[in-house]
């Protein structure tokens, strides 16, 4: 199983980090060992002083495909969920300044908490509301209508480069409001008002 993740897919998030709007999706990956399930606690790693939360809608691939046409992309995922792309921002900044890959900042152990996955037919995928609270305070709110690249385009795009297989996850980008987490924080992520993520930072 692999995780493919999309950077810079919401304009307000691009602005808050001072990045340029991309001409095509920005893709990076996380290894399987990044996955954190069942709302288990996230243990703050000792190699970073600045871990940031990035809440995202996650697609779960349901069958193998490559070079998928956008009009058929919806046939390759049946379930959606929530995920957090934890990012070691201090490490990322250091690596980016040197023009180096971001793997250490994005792919470390447990850096991809994911919720349960729910049938996509229960939702309007083009108008999905999702939200992250930390200690009861709203930090991120997003709606998929504001995505630069929608779900089906992303599935088609990444399948040109990577064969998608059953169980693969696609993190589809984070809205504005990213920021640091600290030991003792409780993170709660909801999709259309339903809490799917609820775990502690230790």
């Amino acid at each position: 199983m692999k995780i493919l993740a999309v950077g810079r897919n919401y304009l307000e998030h691009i602005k808050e980090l001072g990045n340029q709007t991309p001409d095509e999706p920005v893709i990076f990956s996380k290894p399987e060992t990044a996955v954190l399930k069942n709302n288990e606690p996230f243990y703050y790693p000792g190699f970073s002083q600045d871990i940031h939360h990035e809440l995202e809608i996650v697609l779960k691939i349901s069958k193998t495909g490559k070079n998928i046409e956008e009009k058929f992309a919806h046939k390759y995922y049946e379930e959606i969920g929530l995920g957090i792309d934890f990012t070691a921002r201090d490490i990322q900044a250091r690596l980016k300044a040197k023009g180096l890959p971001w793997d250490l900042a994005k792919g470390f152990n447990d850096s991809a908490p994911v919720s349960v996955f729910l049938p996509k037919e229960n939702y309007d995928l083009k108008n999905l509301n999702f939200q992250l609270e930390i200690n009861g305070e709203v930090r991120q709110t997003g709606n998929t209508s504001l995505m630069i690249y929608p779900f089906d385009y992303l599935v088609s795009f990444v399948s040109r480069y990577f064969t998608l297989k059953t169980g693969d996850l696609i993190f589809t980008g984070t809205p504005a409001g990213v920021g640091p987490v600290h030991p003792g924080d409780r993170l709660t992520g909801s999709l259309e008002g339903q809490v799917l993520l609820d775990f502690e930072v230790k």
Side-chain angles (χ1 to χ4, degrees):
M1 187 272 281
K2 57 184 173 290
I3 301 169
L4 299 172
V6 182
R8 306 179 190 178
N9 202 21
Y10 289 82
L11 286 174
E12 292 304 314
H13 174 59
I14 292 171
K15 292 177 183 177
E16 75 178 347
L17 293 187
N19 292 322
Q20 293 184 342
T21 303
D23 296 325
E24 62 182 14
V26 175
I27 305 297
F28 60 94
S29 64
K30 291 175 178 263
E32 184 176 358
T33 49
V35 172
L36 183 64
K37 297 180 178 179
N38 303 319
N39 282 316
E40 294 180 356
F42 171 76
Y43 288 89
Y44 206 107
F47 51 74
S48 175
Q49 305 301 314
D50 195 22
I51 300 291
H52 282 209
H53 59 80
E54 300 188 10
L55 180 69
E56 315 199 6
I57 302 289
V58 182
L59 311 181
K60 188 175 184 179
I61 298 300
S62 57
K63 65 178 182 177
T64 298
K66 63 180 179 179
N67 294 316
I68 301 165
E69 292 185 51
E70 186 175 353
K71 64 182 178 181
F72 297 128
H74 67 280
K75 298 178 180 291
Y76 288 82
Y77 61 98
E78 301 298 332
E79 295 177 306
I80 62 172
L82 289 177
I84 292 179
D85 167 25
F86 276 130
T87 303
R89 195 71 75 199
D90 48 355
I91 294 176
Q92 185 186 39
R94 186 176 75 237
L95 294 170
K96 286 174 70 175
K98 297 178 181 179
L100 298 174
W102 306 348
D103 295 58
L104 295 179
K106 289 284 194 178
F108 56 89
N109 289 339
D110 299 336
S111 62
V114 293
S115 72
V116 296
F117 287 85
L118 303 172
K120 70 177 185 181
E121 62 261 25
N122 294 344
Y123 301 96
D124 178 358
L125 299 185
K126 296 181 179 179
N127 186 31
L128 269 178
N129 294 294
F130 57 109
Q131 178 174 284
L132 177 70
E133 295 182 8
I134 298 182
N135 304 324
E137 179 184 342
V138 176
R139 296 292 180 88
Q140 286 187 275
T141 57
N143 184 285
T144 53
S145 67
L146 301 176
M147 299 172 80
I148 299 171
Y149 301 107
F151 294 158
D152 290 354
Y153 182 87
L154 292 175
V155 170
S156 175
F157 180 83
V158 298
S159 76
R160 299 178 208 168
Y161 301 88
F162 308 97
T163 297
L164 296 175
K165 294 188 175 183
T166 302
D168 287 350
L169 303 179
I170 299 179
F171 277 59
T172 61
T174 193
V178 303
V181 297
H182 305 93
D185 285 345
R186 176 170 287 278
L187 278 63
T188 307
S190 58
L191 178 65
E192 290 295 344
Q194 180 180 359
V195 173
L196 299 182
L197 288 170
D198 187 7
F199 65 93
E200 288 184 291
V201 178
K202 292 190 174 182

